[in-house]
Amino acid sequence: MKICASISEARSACRDARANHRRVGLVPTMGALHEGHLSLVRAARAQCDVVAVSIFVNPTQFGPAEDLSKYPRQFERDCRLLEQEGVDILFAPSIEEMYPQGAISWVVVEGLSEKLDGRSRPGHFRGVTTVVAKLFHVIEPDAAYFGQKDAAQLAVIRRMVRDLDFPVEIVACPIVREADGLAMSSRNAYLNREERQRALVLQRSLQETQRQFQAGERSAARLISAAKEVFLSEPQVRLDYFEVVDPEMLDPVEHISGRTLVAVAAFVGTTRLIDNVVLEP
Ligand code: PAF
């Protein structure tokens, strides 16, 4: 695995690798890799000739009161895991490399960026789209792999790619869960034993939604109120949002008649977790 710390090094490694029309897949990450990330790497490995992974804890997507400094960093371990998965190129730039002194340009997907997590985390998606656009310019991937767990992020990135004509296919990969159903996330590492148990309420609320949907319920308001009742069983978990929206524009849906995203975010202690399910009538 070739490890590149500079943009020029990564760009030329990817250009060389792409010779003879070889397909390049990119898995953008912030490191602290878990099975969820590795499932993206495996999907890229199965579909592409060359697999590039980026590890960059992107400061511009963290709010001033968020966990940038304590975000888990395990570079050596991440490298070992990526080697084992047969990754070809690892791009791991410094903050200075990604954001040159005086950088004032941003990529913003207006409107979408203020919905779901964007409402709770102002500026978050502006940071995500800016860094993902930069990664696309550096690596020039044919396909890029993202987890369905970050459903709002996926919608915002898909829209950016569509609106700005990035020549890249966005591939969404299913949520990977722990044995007890908790969606895998680097932030799960912050949870103590009690919080880890309480965190299961996110998944339970979505299971209740699925159960009612399968029983024929189509009213978003009724599904939301049933899910909120599930949260009453864990009073120490603070619900941020529970929304039923269309998966592309993230607008609330009243009556479910097409593919619909049910997304939840909640604070377990100080850790904010997200999860979702897609309902298909
Ligand atoms: O999903 C993530 O880990 C990050 O938001 C991403 C896409 C790597 C951009 O920093």
Side-chain angles (χ1 to χ4, degrees), residues 40-274:
L40 305 180
V41 172
R42 286 169 200 147
R45 188 68 285 165
Q47 296 171 10
C48 301
D49 305 302
V50 178
V51 176
V53 172
S54 61
I55 294 183
F56 179 63
V57 183
N58 174 34
T60 64
Q61 69 187 74
F62 288 78
E66 291 183 352
D67 54 352
L68 172 63
S69 63
K70 70 170 182 140
Y71 195 84
R73 288 163 174 85
Q74 318 173 338
F75 189 69
E76 306 294 313
R77 179 180 169 274
D78 289 349
C79 285
R80 277 199 304 279
L81 290 171
L82 296 177
E83 291 267 12
Q84 280 164 18
E85 297 296 333
V87 167
D88 301 288
I89 297 167
L90 171 60
F91 178 43
S94 64
I95 294 178
E96 296 70 32
E97 180 70 9
M98 281 305 265
Y99 293 106
Q101 188 71 33
I104 49 172
S105 304
W106 298 96
V107 177
V108 184
V109 180
E110 288 186 353
L112 260 192
S113 291
E114 291 81 45
K115 293 174 184 166
L116 298 186
D117 307 291
R119 189 176 323 116
S120 318
R121 306 180 66 190
H124 169 67
F125 284 130
R126 181 181 81 154
V128 170
T129 42
T130 300
V131 81
V132 171
K134 286 168 72 76
L135 291 169
F136 287 174
H137 286 313
V138 174
I139 306 293
E140 300 176 299
D142 297 286
Y145 295 77
F146 295 89
Q148 171 63 32
K149 183 174 79 74
D150 297 291
Q153 168 170 287
L154 197 54
V156 172
I157 290 170
R158 280 193 195 285
R159 194 70 184 190
M160 173 187 82
V161 164
R162 190 200 89 134
D163 291 355
L164 300 182
D165 303 304
F166 280 87
V168 57
E169 180 195 348
I170 300 301
V171 181
C173 298
I175 298 176
V176 178
R177 298 182 179 280
E178 303 283 357
D180 59 7
L182 185 69
M184 287 201 184
S185 162
S186 304
R187 292 192 164 91
N188 292 350
Y190 301 149
L191 303 172
N192 64 31
R193 191 197 296 247
E194 291 78 35
E195 289 171 340
R196 174 68 185 69
Q197 204 50 35
R198 285 179 201 134
L200 295 173
V201 69
L202 278 84
Q203 152 85 342
R204 282 206 305 278
S205 70
L206 293 171
Q207 280 170 340
E208 177 61 15
T209 305
Q210 272 176 307
R211 197 186 62 73
Q212 297 216 1
F213 178 75
Q214 276 153 14
E217 183 59 82
R218 293 293 180 269
S219 152
R222 280 196 290 272
L223 290 174
I224 293 170
S225 99
K228 285 187 173 170
E229 285 212 6
V230 176
F231 271 87
L232 297 179
S233 67
E234 287 294 358
Q236 306 205 41
V237 175
R238 183 162 62 83
L239 186 60
D240 180 4
Y241 66 69
F242 190 100
E243 290 201 36
V244 178
V245 299
D246 94 81
E248 274 180 33
M249 288 307 293
L250 307 179
D251 287 323
V253 164
E254 279 180 23
H255 180 84
I256 300 173
S257 56
R259 207 168 166 269
T260 301
L261 171 70
V262 181
V264 59
F267 287 92
V268 184
T270 53
T271 305
R272 186 174 177 281
L273 299 178
I274 59 174

